[in-house]
Amino acid sequence: MSWFESFVLGLVQGLTEFLPVSSSAHLRLTAAFADWPDPGAAFTAVTQIGTEAAVLIYFRKDIARIVTAWFRSLYDRRARHDADARTGWLVIVGSVPIGVLGLLLKDAIEGPFRDLRLIATTLVVMGVVLGYADRRAAGDERGGRHRAAKRRKELRDLTVRDGLVFGLCQAMALVPGVSRSGATISGGLFIGYTRESAARYSFLLAVPAVLASGVFELKDAGDASGGHTAWGPTLFATVIAFVVGYAVIAWFMRFISSRSFMPFVVYRILLGLLLFALVAAGVLSPHAGEDVS
């Protein structure tokens, strides 16, 4: 991997990790369109450490408060009723599904799941799901002629059931094209959370899973990207992903406070259909980049 490739892929990772469009799919597609080798699941996992570092800094006050309350709940029963302590426990509970499935499906994640036809399918299907969930949320917030606006849940309303739903939705993002934030936000909207709360919890829930995945894949990153000399470009891409990712989080949280997810829905569907067309026309192979040396 060249330094230019690592810069572009780091930029793509930072731009797409927190948007509901799937960063893993965009890394895969960027390599395919540029006729570069597929960066692979290991490279993706390591560069995600950069974007998760951006989450740690951007939400540092929330995370510090949650971690403090969680530790207090270990020895103080009364503290276990605190909303922040409950959030800490539910982040742990919600991280179990993706941890278990990530280990069980590791070979598929690094192989068959990277087929461009599957990515196109998940882009379109999850785009439709996100669009439907967003319209339901907008309907609740707006109300109607014969019904009042419905209150939607905040993070303080988290329950064990909700935590597991968020966790199962996050696990779907093991398939490129699904999108970690897209799946968890959609799940949150379906079970009654506000857009901002669903997005905030999605980012917090991703921290332990992504950091664990990145550390686990560190040993494979060099081999997956061309040997020991690839460590420099891989780390460079991670730094780029951190800087860009931080800016994207700040913009995205402002955006969803007053806007819907429909621009991302339209983008996902159009990109998926374009990808289907390119594969069907023979412009792109479903396995483009996998055999490039």
Side-chain angles (χ1 to χ4, degrees):
M1 177 179 292
S2 70
W3 289 95
F4 177 71
E5 288 175 39
S6 68
F7 171 78
V8 172
L9 294 174
L11 183 64
V12 170
Q13 168 65 26
L15 285 171
T16 59
E17 172 67 15
F18 303 113
L19 305 181
V21 297
S22 179
S23 60
S24 57
H26 279 75
L27 288 174
R28 176 77 178 90
L29 293 177
T30 299
F33 283 126
D35 199 28
W36 296 339
D38 180 358
F43 176 86
T44 301
V46 173
T47 55
Q48 283 177 336
I49 293 177
T51 46
E52 289 315 303
V55 171
L56 291 174
I57 294 176
Y58 187 85
F59 292 108
R60 60 190 180 278
K61 293 181 180 178
D62 290 350
I63 292 172
R65 193 179 63 249
I66 290 169
V67 170
T68 300
W70 180 81
F71 272 113
R72 190 183 303 120
S73 73
L74 294 176
Y75 58 83
D76 185 348
R77 287 189 176 184
R78 291 173 298 178
R80 295 171 191 172
H81 299 290
D82 182 84
D84 288 328
R86 186 168 64 250
T87 299
W89 282 108
L90 292 179
V91 165
I92 295 173
V93 170
S95 299
V96 172
I98 196 170
V100 173
L101 292 175
L103 291 173
L104 292 177
L105 300 175
K106 185 176 187 297
D107 291 340
I109 294 167
E110 296 176 349
F113 282 4
R114 303 185 73 77
D115 188 304
L116 295 184
R117 292 165 297 190
L118 177 59
I119 291 175
T121 301
T122 53
L123 282 169
V124 173
V125 171
M126 288 305 299
V128 172
V129 170
L130 177 61
Y132 180 65
D134 190 59
R135 290 197 65 177
R136 278 188 53 177
D140 286 347
E141 294 168 355
R142 186 172 54 245
R145 180 178 299 179
H146 303 294
R147 62 185 179 86
K150 181 180 178 181
R151 176 191 174 273
R152 294 186 69 84
K153 294 185 280 189
E154 307 284 346
L155 282 186
R156 63 177 178 272
D157 301 312
L158 270 174
T159 64
V160 173
R161 187 209 68 157
D162 292 351
L164 285 172
V165 170
F166 273 111
L168 290 171
C169 290
Q170 176 179 238
M172 294 170 59
L174 291 169
V175 181
V178 169
S179 169
R180 185 188 311 275
S181 64
T184 50
I185 289 172
S186 295
L189 294 178
F190 273 122
I191 58 179
Y193 285 84
T194 65
R195 292 187 184 95
E196 187 174 1
S197 294
R200 186 177 293 268
Y201 188 65
S202 169
F203 296 160
L204 294 175
L205 182 61
V207 171
V210 171
L211 292 180
S213 174
V215 171
F216 181 78
E217 295 285 6
L218 279 174
K219 59 181 173 48
D220 297 328
D223 292 338
S225 305
H228 68 280
T229 57
W231 271 114
T234 298
L235 294 177
F236 178 57
T238 303
V239 172
I240 296 296
F242 162 73
V243 174
V244 176
Y246 186 90
V248 170
I249 295 175
W251 173 83
F252 186 62
M253 295 304 293
R254 289 194 301 270
F255 178 88
I256 61 174
S257 65
S258 60
R259 303 282 295 278
S260 80
F261 290 111
M262 292 311 295
F264 304 109
V265 171
V266 172
Y267 172 76
R268 288 182 65 102
I269 293 174
L270 291 178
L271 179 60
L273 294 177
L274 174 63
L275 188 54
F276 271 129
L278 292 175
V279 172
V283 176
L284 279 179
S285 163
H287 307 287
E290 293 182 6
D291 297 321
V292 177
S293 59

